[in-house]
Amino acid sequence: MNTIVFLYTGNSSNKIPVSSQLFTWAKTVPSVSAVVLLGFVTAQEKEMAQNCTIPVEIISLEEESIKELLHKIDVSMTEKKGDTAVYGWADCPFYNTELTKKIVTHHEKYGSEYTFADGYPYGLVPEVIHSGTVKIMCSLLDKKPEVNKKVTRDGIFSLLK
């Protein structure tokens, strides 16, 4: 399996700070091959990214919409031949390594489309999405533009509902 970690960083007017702890955590995600920062990134954060031992890509978002976010994830997954997207917000420096390993392992073992940690406080475990599910959600948003909304913490879950 090839896993890509995606971290949403907000935009220049609503910046979400990236913690160096996130890069340490991202390296422990099973089968991780790259980290992608989605949104606005400061010079200091770019420097942190360069010091990471796995490849880090920075992708800007123009619209800050769930449609644009998912399309960027889809393109990145296709380019990197990713099977699994691990998605979270950059202001969550306390992602739990063991819970993340457990949820990614279960996601892959059971061939899940979307996996999240129900009942845990937000910011302990990221969301896990199969690459095919990302494509389906993009297709849905292309066909139903009225569903497209601003990026929110529960945006992917809400779209799937």
Side-chain angles (χ1 to χ4, degrees), residues 13-129:
S13 63
N14 189 21
K15 174 71 180 104
I16 296 169
V18 179
S19 167
S20 62
Q21 293 165 310
L22 285 174
F23 294 112
T24 302
W25 162 80
K27 292 186 285 189
T28 68
V29 173
S31 306
V32 67
S33 63
V35 174
V36 177
L37 302 177
L38 295 161
F40 181 77
V41 178
T42 66
Q44 180 182 9
E45 291 166 343
K46 286 178 185 176
E47 188 176 321
M48 273 193 303
Q50 290 174 345
N51 294 328
C52 189
T53 57
I54 56 176
V56 178
E57 181 181 4
I58 299 166
I59 299 176
S60 297
L61 298 175
E62 303 296 321
E63 299 174 14
E64 298 292 320
S65 67
I66 194 74
K67 178 179 178 177
E68 181 187 23
L69 177 85
L70 287 169
H71 275 286
K72 299 281 183 165
I73 290 173
D74 182 37
V75 168
S76 186
M77 293 287 287
T78 301
E79 288 173 357
K80 294 173 180 43
K81 297 179 177 33
D83 302 303
T84 304
V86 173
Y87 173 74
W89 282 50
D91 63 348
C92 297
F94 302 114
Y95 282 130
N96 183 286
T97 300
E98 292 308 312
L99 289 174
T100 301
K101 286 179 183 177
K102 188 174 182 178
I103 198 169
V104 170
T105 301
H106 278 74
H107 178 85
E108 292 173 355
K109 179 179 178 181
Y110 296 108
S112 300
E113 296 291 324
Y114 174 77
T115 309
F116 67 104
D118 192 24
Y120 284 92
Y122 190 86
L124 284 182
V125 186
E127 298 168 83
V128 184
I129 314 163

